[in-house]
Amino acid sequence: MSLPCGLAPEDGLPVGFQIMSAGLNVSQLQAVHFTQGPSLVLAGAGSGKTRVITQKIAHLISQGMAPQGIAAITFTNKAAAEMRERTKQLVGKLAQETLICTFHSLGVRLLRDHGDALGLKEQFSILGSDDVLGILKDCGGSTDTAAVRQWQWQISSWKNDGLDSSDALRMAKSEDERALAVLMQRYEERLAAYQSVDFDDLIGLPLKLLQRREDIRQLWQSKLQHVLVDEYQDTNATQYELLKLLVGSKAHFTAVGDDDQSIYGWRGATLDNLRKLPLDFPQLRVIKLEQNYRSTSAILRAANAVIASNPKLFEKTLFSELGEGEPVRVLACDNEEHEADRAVARIQSLRSSSQHRAMKDFAILYRANHQARIFEQALRKAQIPYKVSGGQSFFERAEIKDLCAWLRLMANNNDDPAFLRAVTTPKRGIGHQTLAQLGAFAASHRLSMFEALFSHSISAAIPARGLGSLQEFGRFVNDTEFNARAIKGAEDAGAFLHQWLKDLGYERYLFDNEDNEKLAAARWKNVLEFCDWMAKRCGGITDDTAGITTTSPAKSLIDVVQSVALLSTLSGDEKEEDVVTLSTLHAAKGLEWPHVCLVGVNEGLLPFRSDASDDAPQEAQELRIQEERRLMYVGITRAQRTLMVSWLKRRKKGREFINGKPSRFIEEMALDQATVREDPREKLKALRAQFAQRASEEALPPN
């Protein structure tokens, strides 16, 4: 075995560092061992793509490539963390030297290192979606959140296509598009003045950097000896151009993806990137991974039949050696309540037939978030624990982000994104021009925006009225921070936080800025819950709010504030629980369960249909149906052992009931008629399970 440059056997390489190729099939071995040029690994659902990527990293290192010269890029922090851990199992501590990250993390690294070439200071701010929304509202002079969201989507779409405001203005085909391009120009000016970037800029700006600066481009091309891209079918036009500039003419890269699982067209992902690869890289080696290690043959047959109706970029057919398995079952349900009851009965039936089926083995998948409610009710009624995946988490709510921004700023005055959110929430008569002047001054003096407030020369840059409001805000932050440092214990922290909210006038702000009084009250309730959550942590008592159980000694409020970001991250899906999963199909991608109920498979729901889609050109409608078909394919291939598909004879649309029609995708599954009807034995099992549960409950002593 050859070792990476500068490494010797005594450097602590793990035993068995050599690739253990015995467990790889022929196609996987080809994908791992091809290293001398560009390759496209077409990885079908459940075909072991993550294993191929990590084994290839280990193989490259074993062949002498420095781990620092390898980059593995994916789309989510969770996927990157899993990849890093599995690589560590193969190569030990060398995994820490390999660049395993998301596209956006790579963009941050490029901008932190070289952003000065674009006029960015090293401590530039990264704005979240709500921060962007607020800036766009100011730029456009609108309080209509729905309309501003549409502006935000269009600007994001332009950026993902590699366009700036001047490009958008030049290509505008209508007065509305021209007006939005002008708005985008104002938005760009604001970001530059604030020394801030949005999420799309983390790809677009590094691309501009590599395009404009040959020295930086050559530096990174020499640094990265091999680049691996996971979920390649999810890349947008800008990410593809960035990849090309990173790999250069030597083109040592591995793109791993599946055109049949491209379901993110609505956020800029394009299959054109797959079409372009063989054209841009004629020497491209295409390797297909068609053996599925997840699902039974019955499930894969249905998946292959559905996706066969889509045009193919690359032909492939999944197969499994896990046996035929149970037939796919299709249920016609009377309405939403009946469908939810049948899903619950299905879970109870399968669990009653085996002592070893955990709750976490089951998932209920649907097209849209609003479909979850009726299943939540049915699961609660049956006393079945569950979690909802793919919806909005507590810490993603605007009101919680507002408070976290204030608390972050108190803990770290150099946090510019927190400053920008806090200084305008609630509003205190500080306009965008004043903030732009402050941003320009802070950038020119290499200060954070908060530090710039109290600079001796700031009065020459900002008019007295605006400066007075800014400095009053700064003094309020300093006073609150000073008092917070002395707060310790749950009772004192609770009293302090409630007084702080009163001093902020946050309750009035919520009700003044929300048309729906009930919604404002719900948001205020979230605020109070958050403050109680913070106070409990100051008291050091055991608490399991937000899915985290903690027991710790009493802490100061500032100590707790500094851990808020970590706690909010951990409150997601990091902790595996023995519960049934409810999830949208989009959020389910990359996951799998032994038993899956795919629900609401109706025309109008899956494929989804809207008035806007009906008015679209025929070609656009067909592309939409193809993506919806891929979404169905993703749903089917989440199932390992059993799959139930259900549709509604009658469903709610708004306040009315309409007759339901089974999705065209059910017919495309090409199932035998015998599999479409419900097995009466299952119904009997479910009834027995319900009777047994009822008898057990009746036998319990009263509280």
Side-chain angles (χ1 to χ4, degrees), residues 179-393:
L180 186 52
V182 171
L183 176 70
M184 183 180 181
Q185 186 176 36
R186 287 187 215 139
Y187 172 63
E188 289 171 343
E189 291 169 353
R190 292 287 172 85
L191 292 188
Y194 295 170
Q195 281 289 297
S196 299
V197 300
D198 62 24
F199 213 54
D200 299 312
D201 290 330
L202 295 178
I203 308 298
L205 291 180
L207 174 60
K208 287 181 180 177
L209 185 69
L210 296 182
Q211 287 171 334
R212 296 175 183 177
R213 290 287 298 269
E214 184 179 356
D215 56 332
I216 297 173
R217 183 168 69 249
Q218 289 181 350
L219 174 68
W220 277 83
Q221 287 177 0
S222 63
K223 181 185 294 188
L224 300 181
Q225 297 300 301
H226 199 98
V227 178
L228 302 100
V229 180
D230 189 20
E231 303 287 9
Y232 177 76
Q233 77 282 347
D234 294 337
T235 56
N236 59 39
T238 312
Q239 288 162 336
Y240 179 54
E241 293 302 318
L242 182 63
L243 171 65
K244 287 198 295 183
L245 291 179
L246 286 171
V247 301
S249 58
K250 69 179 185 293
H252 286 175
F253 70 85
T254 304
V256 182
D258 181 7
D259 52 330
D260 291 334
Q261 295 188 73
S262 179
I263 59 173
Y264 294 113
W266 49 273
R267 70 180 188 196
T270 173
L271 283 175
D272 284 344
N273 290 352
L274 277 165
R275 294 188 185 96
K276 289 176 182 176
L277 268 183
L279 301 175
D280 292 342
F281 302 95
Q283 70 274 43
L284 183 76
R285 174 77 67 89
V286 179
I287 302 166
K288 301 177 184 179
L289 305 184
E290 297 175 288
Q291 182 169 355
N292 175 287
Y293 294 93
R294 174 187 300 161
S295 306
T296 63
S297 295
I299 291 168
L300 287 187
R301 199 161 48 247
N304 287 331
V306 166
I307 206 64
S309 297
N310 270 5
K312 291 287 185 181
L313 290 178
F314 304 93
E315 286 291 340
K316 73 175 184 306
T317 302
L318 295 184
F319 68 92
S320 170
E321 295 181 353
L322 298 177
E324 175 64 16
E326 290 191 25
V328 175
R329 309 208 176 273
V330 177
L331 299 183
C333 302
D334 295 336
N335 51 38
E336 284 90 342
E337 288 79 8
H338 183 224
E339 183 178 47
D341 288 343
R342 296 310 303 132
V344 169
R346 173 78 170 163
I347 293 169
Q348 291 173 326
S349 172
L350 287 171
R351 292 195 75 235
S352 67
S353 65
S354 171
Q355 295 287 331
H356 307 294
R357 284 177 175 143
M359 291 293 187
K360 65 183 179 182
D361 291 342
F362 297 87
I364 299 174
L365 308 182
Y366 38 79
R367 176 63 176 82
N369 277 311
H370 74 268
Q371 294 171 263
R373 183 185 58 83
I374 196 73
F375 293 96
E376 290 188 72
Q377 291 175 349
L379 289 166
R380 284 198 298 267
K381 183 179 178 182
Q383 298 184 0
I384 295 176
Y386 67 90
K387 66 177 179 180
V388 180
S389 178
Q392 186 185 46
S393 77

Side-chain angles (χ1 to χ4, degrees), residues 608-617 620-621 624:
F608 181 75
R609 177 181 176 182
S610 66
D611 294 338
S613 61
D614 288 344
D615 295 335
Q621 290 189 40
R624 179 182 61 82

